[in-house]
């Protein structure tokens, strides 16, 4: 949100833009293989168009339809496949140039914010071969937010939504606070399931400092996702014990910061999706089903809510 301005004795904060701009982009490869992405784009401008609010004067407003058309035009100009982060930055740069050098009346604009969610279309394999033009919908989504500041600096936040992870053992929870309402027993043996929403942040002084590889952020997204999963699961044979979701979350965030020096912070939301042990008895208290780490009732609500962020401490030198 833009910084507030004092108007008529009040503090006014405002921004405007176009939300849920949906676009699919197909690239026809020279080898006959198609590539495609589907994006859901939201774009906002931070500006000082106060006269529109106070006097009904729209002369300082960029129409949201213009923003929508900028997204489609930029997608059209992308002749090669690129990451959602690169598209965000390119669109921000286009708007920045357009607003600062072409239409001098738009110098009221102080920044732009673009959010994109990439739908997870994945290439299908038929008869063991990758299909030239066939895709199926996957699970987790690649997200990004780019904030363009007035001085041209870019704050890039990449992320993943809906990364569903589960392990059937090597998890426990014990030694927690108890009171008269506590019914949960201690355990060193339980299933651990979650659906990770994660974000990680980069900063660049200008669009000209971005990596030259247009798929750099896509590759980094896959790398970060691998680090998150590898840390959650541990060695394929031995695994890794999780004493709590909190402990595992911290290890995952720390592993990302340790692996990638240009990532400044990580935020993870990891709901504890419960699989409840099933024990069944009849009226005579005869056991029908005795739980032995084998039969569970899957649930999705209520669930535990655990989230935290981890960031580098700036050097004092």
């Amino acid at each position: 949100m833009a910084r507030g301005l004092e108007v008529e004795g009040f503090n006014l904060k405002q921004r405007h833009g176009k939300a849920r701009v949906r676009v699919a982009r197909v690239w026809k490869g020279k080898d006959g293989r198609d590539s495609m992405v589907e994006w859901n784009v939201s774009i906002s401008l931070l500006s000082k168009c106060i006269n529109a609010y106070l006097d009904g004067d729209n002369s300082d407003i960029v129409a949201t339809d213009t923003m929508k058309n900028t997204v489609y035009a930029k997608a059209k100009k992308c002749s090669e496949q690129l990451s959602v982060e690169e598209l965000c930055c390119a669109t921000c740069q286009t708007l920045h140039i357009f607003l600062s050098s072409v239409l001098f009346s738009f110098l009221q604009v102080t920044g732009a914010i673009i959010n994109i969610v990439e739908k997870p279309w994945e290439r299908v394999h038929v008869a063991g071969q990758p299909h030239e033009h066939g895709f199926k919908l996957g699970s987790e989504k690649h997200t990004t937010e780019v904030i363009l500041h007035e001085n041209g600096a870019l704050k890039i936040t990449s992320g993943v939504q809906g990364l569903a992870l589960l392990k059937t053992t090597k998890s426990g929870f014990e030694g927690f606070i108890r009171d008269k309402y506590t019914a949960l027993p201690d355990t060193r043996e339980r299933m651990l399931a979650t659906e990770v929403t994660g974000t990680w942040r980069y900063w660049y002084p200008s669009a000209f400092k971005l990596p030259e590889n247009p798929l750099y952020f896509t590759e980094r997204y896959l790398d970060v996702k691998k680090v998150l999963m590898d840390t959650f699961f541990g060695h394929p044979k031995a695994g890794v014990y999780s004493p709590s979701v909190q402990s595992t979350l911290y290890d995952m965030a720390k592993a990302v910061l340790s692996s990638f020096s240009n990532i400044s912070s990580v935020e993870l939301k990891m709901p504890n999706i419960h699989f409840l042990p099933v024990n069944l008895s009849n009226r005579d208290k005869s056991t029908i089903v005795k739980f032995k780490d084998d039969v569970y009732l899957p649930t999705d609500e209520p669930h535990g809510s655990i989230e935290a962020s981890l960031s580098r401490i700036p050097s004092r030198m």
Side-chain angles (χ1 to χ4, degrees):
M1 178 64 73
R3 288 177 292 181
L5 292 174
E6 186 175 331
V7 292
E8 300 180 344
F10 302 100
N11 186 41
L12 173 64
K13 294 182 180 180
Q14 59 76 34
R15 62 195 252 190
H16 77 286
K18 205 72 162 183
R20 300 185 65 81
V21 181
R22 297 183 63 180
V23 54
R25 180 61 160 98
V26 176
W27 291 275
K28 301 289 185 179
K30 295 179 180 179
D31 58 356
R33 176 176 294 186
D34 291 355
S35 299
M36 69 85 61
V37 291
E38 181 181 344
W39 297 311
N40 191 321
V41 184
S42 295
I43 180 170
S44 292
L45 293 183
L46 308 181
S47 67
K48 300 174 183 177
C49 55
I50 304 304
N51 291 336
Y53 292 89
L54 300 184
D55 305 321
D57 178 357
N58 299 330
S59 60
D60 288 332
I61 289 183
V62 182
T64 64
D65 188 67
T66 300
M67 302 181 204
K68 177 201 70 178
N69 293 341
T70 299
V71 172
Y72 289 116
K74 201 62 193 179
K76 175 67 175 179
K77 289 181 179 179
C78 296
S79 58
E80 296 182 356
Q81 192 172 358
L82 77 171
S83 66
V84 287
E85 290 86 354
E86 189 73 19
L87 176 68
C88 273
C89 294
T91 305
C92 276
Q93 189 178 16
T94 297
L95 283 168
H96 187 251
I97 295 171
F98 172 69
L99 296 174
S100 62
S101 63
V102 180
L103 297 178
F104 64 89
S105 61
F106 290 167
L107 290 178
Q108 298 277 21
V109 174
T110 59
I113 300 175
I114 300 181
N115 290 272
I116 301 182
V117 177
E118 182 173 298
K119 212 165 184 177
W121 289 106
E122 301 171 349
R123 189 177 303 278
V124 299
H125 286 68
V126 177
Q129 298 293 321
H131 202 281
E132 296 295 317
H133 54 265
F135 299 84
K136 67 178 180 69
L137 193 60
S139 53
E140 63 271 6
K141 298 176 180 178
H142 182 178
T143 66
T144 191
E145 176 185 78
V146 173
I147 300 177
L148 172 67
H149 295 277
E150 193 171 9
N151 62 2
L154 295 163
K155 182 191 292 183
I156 303 174
T157 303
S158 300
V160 61
Q161 286 181 358
L163 179 60
L165 306 176
L166 179 150
K167 57 183 184 180
T168 57
T169 187
K170 295 286 184 176
S171 174
F173 189 56
E174 55 187 341
F176 47 88
I177 294 174
R178 293 186 171 277
D179 67 7
K180 63 181 180 180
Y181 297 115
T182 303
L184 187 70
D186 284 1
T187 183
R188 290 189 60 82
E189 179 59 46
R190 66 173 183 173
M191 290 179 68
L192 178 59
T194 188
E195 189 172 284
V196 180
T197 298
T199 57
W200 48 96
R201 182 166 293 169
Y202 314 86
W203 183 88
Y204 292 92
S206 76
F208 302 104
K209 299 294 185 179
L210 292 172
E212 294 183 3
N213 177 6
L215 290 176
Y216 171 84
F217 291 104
T218 298
E219 295 168 359
R220 179 53 53 87
Y221 165 78
L222 296 174
D223 291 340
V224 170
K225 196 168 63 167
K226 183 178 186 301
V227 169
L228 291 172
M229 291 190 293
D230 287 354
T231 308
F232 179 89
F233 292 115
H235 188 276
K237 294 291 186 181
V240 59
Y241 181 72
S242 170
S244 65
V245 178
Q246 287 87 340
S247 176
T248 297
L249 183 156
Y250 178 78
D251 288 343
M252 292 165 68
K254 185 173 68 172
V256 171
L257 291 181
S258 298
S259 300
F260 308 106
S261 60
N262 66 336
I263 292 179
S264 61
S265 64
V266 180
E267 181 175 344
L268 298 177
K269 298 179 181 179
M270 293 176 54
N272 188 6
I273 301 174
H274 304 301
F275 282 69
L276 305 178
V278 173
N279 283 291
L280 297 180
S281 301
N282 59 22
R283 283 186 173 184
D284 300 326
K285 297 184 179 180
S286 298
T287 299
I288 301 173
V289 171
K290 177 65 174 177
F291 176 71
K292 293 184 178 180
D293 302 321
D294 51 3
V295 180
Y296 298 82
L297 170 63
T299 68
D300 56 9
E301 55 183 32
H303 59 247
S305 177
I306 296 94
E307 57 185 89
S309 63
L310 195 66
S311 58
R312 302 183 192 278
I313 298 174
S315 173
R316 296 181 178 179
M317 295 182 63

